[in-house]
Amino acid sequence: MKPTVAPLRKKVVHSVDTSFSSVEWPSISEQDQDAILELIISLLAPLGHHRRTAQASKGKRDTKRKRDSGTSVISDSLPKPPAPEIASFVDIGLSAITRNLQEHVSQNVDSVGTTKLPYALIFVARSGQASAFNSHYPQLVAVASQSSSSNHSIRLVGYSKPCAPALSASLGIPRVSSVGIRHGAPLSKPLIDFVQSCVPPITIPWLSEAETGQYRHTRLISEEKLVPSKQATSSAP
């Protein structure tokens, strides 16, 4: 026997919506996204090269074992190559970037007590991630940029196509979701200039709307949806 399909009826469903406008990700063309990704990979390549060439220490026990067995330990005593200069201008990962943005929000980025330069841009690989994973970025970046001029506001670049493998290979780490690059990073001027020319700064319309002190009525959304009829639900066992 074929299963019986419960008849449907139209019903108006009401819900409450916010009276303030939402904060959207900047709109960037695919060509500009590809150009930005290429510039970022080229800029971060020295970090990946350093991670691949710097040999990790195996500890004092391994050195003692080689000394006792007569094996040369000269290679272990050689100083490791210093990290590239750009390493201090780059933050990797959602947690690190979010924490630094929160610090910028809690204190004025132009104050004397600030030790780190603000971000020039934040690159986020959005493809393959749930929206809840990075949905806080637009609002947090906009608030952190308020103390800077529009030309120096933090630019948020959301890459919509898969690019995590390319970023991981460039940085020499297994997985990359977000990269933050600060002002003053060596050889970053072409990248920053291009990003500032094609990526608009983020604004928070509802923040300026809230500062006016004007009362806003509650917004109700009414939508027609198909729901099972009352007869079908009452006759169900």
Side-chain angles (χ1 to χ4, degrees):
M1 295 178 60
K2 294 183 179 180
T4 58
V5 180
L8 301 177
R9 63 184 179 89
K10 290 184 178 180
K11 180 181 180 181
V12 179
V13 179
H14 304 281
S15 60
V16 180
D17 189 20
T18 176
S19 56
F20 299 105
S21 51
S22 60
V23 184
E24 302 292 340
W25 285 75
S27 178
I28 311 171
S29 66
E30 290 189 2
Q31 292 181 350
D32 290 340
Q33 289 184 32
D34 294 338
I36 293 172
L37 177 62
E38 185 177 350
L39 290 171
I40 287 179
I41 290 176
S42 176
L43 180 67
L44 301 179
L47 293 176
H49 178 73
H50 176 263
R51 286 191 175 94
R52 285 186 289 267
T53 55
Q55 185 177 3
S57 174
K58 297 181 180 179
K60 295 182 179 179
R61 290 186 178 181
D62 186 71
T63 304
K64 184 177 182 299
R65 179 182 57 80
K66 290 182 178 180
R67 186 183 298 112
D68 294 341
S69 61
T71 307
S72 175
V73 294
I74 298 178
S75 60
D76 291 341
S77 61
L78 293 177
K80 294 182 180 180
E85 185 181 358
I86 194 176
S88 59
F89 293 87
V90 176
D91 292 324
I92 302 171
L94 179 141
S95 299
I97 295 174
T98 301
R99 182 171 59 252
N100 289 321
L101 286 174
Q102 290 172 342
E103 292 177 358
H104 287 314
V105 172
S106 61
Q107 62 183 0
N108 189 337
V109 296
D110 296 328
S111 63
V112 179
T114 303
T115 57
K116 291 185 178 180
L117 293 171
Y119 289 123
L121 65 98
I122 297 174
F123 185 90
V124 182
R126 299 181 64 189
S127 176
Q129 294 182 1
S131 60
F133 187 73
N134 49 42
S135 60
H136 65 288
Y137 269 130
Q139 182 171 327
L140 192 55
V141 167
V143 175
S145 301
Q146 280 190 332
S147 58
S148 302
S149 62
S150 59
N151 292 333
H152 295 87
S153 298
I154 303 172
R155 297 307 202 265
L156 181 62
V157 181
Y159 197 80
S160 56
K161 295 185 293 185
C163 64
L167 278 178
S168 299
S170 176
L171 288 167
I173 55 180
R175 182 177 297 178
V176 181
S177 62
S178 308
V179 177
I181 301 175
R182 301 181 182 276
H183 283 286
L187 305 177
S188 64
K189 191 176 186 304
L191 169 64
I192 294 176
D193 290 345
F194 181 76
V195 170
Q196 289 181 347
S197 65
C198 65
V199 180
I202 301 177
T203 58
I204 305 181
W206 62 260
L207 189 59
S208 57
E209 294 168 2
E211 290 176 350
T212 60
Q214 181 181 359
Y215 174 76
R216 290 182 174 271
H217 296 279
T218 302
R219 291 180 58 184
L220 296 177
I221 300 177
S222 300
E223 298 176 316
E224 277 193 353
K225 295 185 178 181
L226 294 176
V227 297
S229 63
K230 293 183 178 179
Q231 294 180 354
T233 54
S234 60
S235 61

